[in-house]
Amino acid sequence: MLVKTFGSAVYGIQAITITVEVNIAAGTKYFVVGLPDVAIKESYFRIESALKNCGYRMPRQQVVVNMAPADIKKEGSSYDLTIAIGVLAASSQIEADKLDQYLIMGELSLDGSLQPIKGALPIAVQARKEKYKGFILPKQNAREAAIVNELEVYGIENIKQVADFFNGTGQLEREVVNTREEFFDSLTNYDSDFSEVRGQENIKRALEIAAAGGHNVILIGPPGAGKTMLARRLPSILPPLSLHESLETTKIHSVAGKLSAADALVTTRPFRSPHHTISDVALVGGGSNPQPGEISLAHNGVLFLDELPEFKRSALEVMRQPLEERKVTISRAKFTVDYPSSFMLIASMNPCPCGYYNHPEKECICPPGMVQKYLSKISGPLLDRIDLHVEVTPVNFTELSSDRLAEKSEFIRDRVIKAREKQIERFGDKPDLHANAQMSPQMVRDICKITQAGQMLLKKAMEKLGLSARAYDRILKVSRTIADLAGSDEILLEHLAEAIHFRSLDREGWAG
């Protein structure tokens, strides 16, 4: 008897429906065809044990399982339940009349219970698109799949529940998630707040500008000055995620298997902080079975690279293209996948190996030329993609012990949202542009016009401070953001002066 069940394969953050055909005929062997990997070929032993332990039998005949389309490689153990239900239906142990209405996925344990799968959300989106009535999957993944409306999602704990459901002797409990309620309830729930940071008002101002214009930032200062503490609080002043951004971010985390059973949606902006020993593939994504890397997990949020010069140069260089294009393309011989990677880069570093160059109290013990050598670990093209260079100085005892409450994140966030609204209005005819940092050089010249006095100020600054040519566009972009924060249509002299102040590493002799 031939029976068809339906599963799904995830490529990038998109899903493709897989038809699992099970045929039982005379013979004794078990075959799986259709480009399965080792995990799928091993499924025979898991399925046999699971069926026996739940009171069913594995047919002692020839079982042929075909996974179509046969030219696409199928990977992972999440097809166990799809194949097992096909085997039960083909051997007349369960009714097959409703199988074509449901997508079925899950990894089986030997006792018949279900283990979680990856990519439940993109699979659910595709199931709704292809007009399936429902999606049967492990209980642990039910909430993330249930945010897709107009699709019945059933979270199950063991294979017997599914068999009883198709036989009509048992009912499955539908998982229901109120997507909008889930989304709005925890939209701005952050564990940390800017009000907890004592002093460092100039750094807070720099991060406010960065958040308002989507600019990348590098923080340079001695150990213990508060670089990491400030960076970790940046997501709390970014505009809240839109529902579309939240769904897109959740898709990536679902594919990577990073969502817990309690999570339905990623409702706050991601903050990823990989260790400096990270490999190139772990940072940008890839592998023989491509998975999203840290830059994609930081999509719509913040990627924080602590101790930037300690990262492998090759790992930093592979980030250059994703920083520009806001997506990463991973190519293999037979297929190509795209992962979105639109993130804000926040980097921090010590000014020198000992950490105390330019320190107001402690003396730097690095030999001559060591500071420049340390800074040269960061390539010019990467530095070119960072708009704000901020020097962080240690907080003195008076500020640390002060009882004065600092400004809360929510008030800073309100100003950032107003500045972003001006930018959305400005780029209304360009749906791919959301912030000043994304402007092309031509747009900078069209939008960031400055007065004659502004031109003179910029000319003098570049000559006197020895600013490089690449600083010119960056200064204009940042000054446009500062003007947006101030509610000004024009870029004024004070906006330019503040933007010039944030180009430390471009100054000749900074590390001399």
Side-chain angles (χ1 to χ4, degrees):
M1 183 176 174
L2 173 67
V3 165
K4 292 182 182 180
T5 55
F6 299 91
S8 199
V10 178
Y11 292 92
I13 56 169
Q14 306 300 326
I16 299 170
T17 299
I18 302 295
T19 304
V20 177
E21 301 172 321
V22 181
N23 188 61
I24 295 180
T28 56
K29 291 197 173 181
Y30 177 88
F31 300 99
V32 185
V33 294
L35 282 185
D37 71 348
V38 176
I40 297 172
K41 288 177 180 175
E42 288 175 343
S43 66
Y44 173 82
F45 303 103
R46 291 191 295 272
I47 292 169
E48 184 180 39
S49 296
L51 293 182
K52 279 184 178 177
N53 287 323
C54 290
Y56 301 99
R57 59 182 170 80
M58 190 73 177
R60 292 295 168 228
Q61 293 161 282
Q62 185 190 78
V63 178
V64 179
V65 179
N66 177 44
M67 308 181 81
D71 60 339
I72 295 176
K73 189 164 178 62
K74 325 300 183 305
E75 294 170 321
S77 52
S78 53
Y79 299 100
D80 289 0
L81 185 61
T82 325
I83 296 170
I85 294 299
V87 169
L88 287 176
S91 57
S92 303
Q93 296 179 72
I94 64 170
E95 299 294 328
D97 53 345
K98 291 192 292 184
L99 287 179
D100 60 346
Q101 299 174 29
Y102 295 89
L103 208 67
I104 304 167
M105 296 290 284
E107 178 189 332
L108 282 170
S109 292
L110 299 186
D111 62 355
S113 61
L114 271 291
Q115 298 296 325
I117 62 171
K118 290 181 180 179
L121 178 55
I123 293 170
V125 170
Q126 188 65 19
R128 180 182 66 180
K129 196 173 175 182
E130 295 190 9
K131 302 285 193 295
Y132 283 95
K133 182 181 178 184
F135 182 16
I136 296 170
L137 77 168
K139 187 84 173 169
Q140 299 95 314
N141 300 111
R143 282 182 59 76
E144 64 178 279
I147 65 173
V148 178
N149 53 19
E150 299 172 25
L151 180 73
E152 295 175 13
V153 173
Y154 299 105
I156 57 160
E157 292 175 355
N158 60 64
I159 192 172
K160 186 160 176 37
Q161 289 177 283
V162 191
D164 290 345
F165 172 70
F166 285 115
N167 278 332
T169 57
Q171 289 296 317
L172 296 180
E173 189 179 337
R174 184 177 174 182
E175 189 79 34
V176 179
V177 171
N178 186 327
T179 309
R180 294 192 175 276
E181 186 181 300
E182 190 90 17
F183 175 65
F184 290 112
D185 273 0
S186 52
L187 206 52
T188 53
N189 285 358
Y190 290 98
D191 296 332
S192 47
D193 196 276
F194 263 75
S195 61
E196 299 157 0
V197 182
R198 296 281 182 266
Q200 303 291 25
E201 299 306 323
N202 62 322
I203 321 301
K204 290 180 189 174
R205 171 65 178 169
L207 292 181
E208 181 181 338
I209 294 165
H215 301 288
N216 299 324
V217 186
I218 185 165
L219 305 173
I220 313 131
K227 302 185 292 294
T228 305
M229 186 182 187
L230 285 154
R232 287 193 180 281
R233 281 153 181 74
L234 180 63
S236 69
I237 63 168
L238 288 169
L241 286 168
S242 66
L243 187 54
H244 172 73
E245 286 176 327
S246 178
L247 284 166
E248 194 175 37
T249 308
T250 308
K251 263 189 183 183
I252 298 166
H253 285 250
S254 171
V255 168
K258 302 288 184 187
L259 287 177
S260 69
D263 291 331
L265 271 174
V266 174
T267 54
T268 54
R269 293 200 177 265
F271 180 89
R272 303 295 299 182
S273 178
H275 192 260
H276 61 76
T277 55
I278 192 169
S279 69
D280 308 5
V281 169
L283 188 62
V284 298
S288 55
N289 175 21
Q291 286 287 298
E294 288 291 332
I295 63 171
S296 294
L297 292 169
H299 180 60
N300 291 324
V302 175
L303 178 70
F304 177 49
L305 301 183
D306 201 3
E307 304 301 342
L308 188 67
E310 303 301 332
F311 280 79
K312 283 193 300 181
R313 192 173 182 115
S314 60
L316 295 178
E317 294 308 299
V318 291
M319 278 206 321
R320 281 159 48 181
Q321 180 247 353
L323 272 168
E324 286 292 317
E325 297 189 6
R326 302 192 174 268
K327 67 173 184 178
V328 59
T329 303
I330 296 160
S331 298
R332 293 291 175 266
K334 293 200 172 180
F335 62 91
T336 300
V337 296
D338 287 333
Y339 291 115
S341 59
S342 179
F343 58 90
M344 275 181 67
L345 173 65
I346 305 297
S348 77
M349 59 178 284
N350 294 331
C352 64
C354 81
Y356 295 107
Y357 179 75
N358 271 356
H359 194 282
E361 294 163 11
K362 296 187 180 180
E363 192 176 339
C364 174
I365 57 168
C366 296
M370 184 54 77
V371 178
Q372 190 60 51
K373 188 180 176 185
Y374 189 68
L375 289 177
S376 67
K377 287 185 177 182
I378 306 162
S379 70
L382 180 65
L383 208 56
D384 186 31
R385 288 160 173 79
I386 299 176
D387 297 344
L388 295 158
H389 306 163
V390 188
E391 290 185 65
V392 184
T393 52
V395 182
N396 60 42
F397 178 77
T398 310
E399 284 182 317
L400 270 178
S401 57
S402 168
D403 290 333
R404 184 173 64 86
L405 283 174
E407 191 175 26
K408 286 190 172 182
S409 287
E410 60 182 288
F411 301 124
I412 304 172
R413 187 168 60 242
D414 288 342
R415 295 197 294 270
V416 167
I417 291 169
K418 283 178 185 169
R420 285 283 182 110
E421 283 168 354
K422 285 179 78 75
Q423 291 162 54
I424 290 165
E425 190 180 328
R426 181 181 300 131
F427 306 128
D429 58 336
K430 295 179 178 65
D432 294 337
L433 268 179
H434 307 291
N436 289 334
Q438 298 168 11
M439 286 191 286
S440 66
Q442 185 55 51
M443 290 180 72
V444 171
R445 276 151 185 74
D446 294 341
I447 292 169
C448 305
K449 295 188 185 301
I450 53 177
T451 61
Q452 192 65 36
Q455 289 279 13
M456 289 301 295
L457 173 67
L458 198 46
K459 181 172 181 270
K460 282 182 182 175
M462 292 189 77
E463 288 171 357
K464 191 171 181 182
L465 300 172
L467 295 177
S468 66
R470 69 169 173 248
Y472 182 78
D473 273 7
R474 304 290 168 187
I475 288 169
L476 288 179
K477 282 184 185 180
V478 173
S479 57
R480 180 63 265 171
T481 300
I482 296 168
D484 289 340
L485 276 169
S488 169
D489 293 329
E490 303 292 325
I491 297 175
L492 306 179
L493 287 178
E494 58 263 34
H495 305 148
L496 266 174
E498 190 173 2
I500 291 164
H501 168 67
F502 293 122
R503 292 303 299 182
S504 305
L505 292 181
D506 276 328
R507 295 175 195 167
E508 285 176 5
W510 186 87

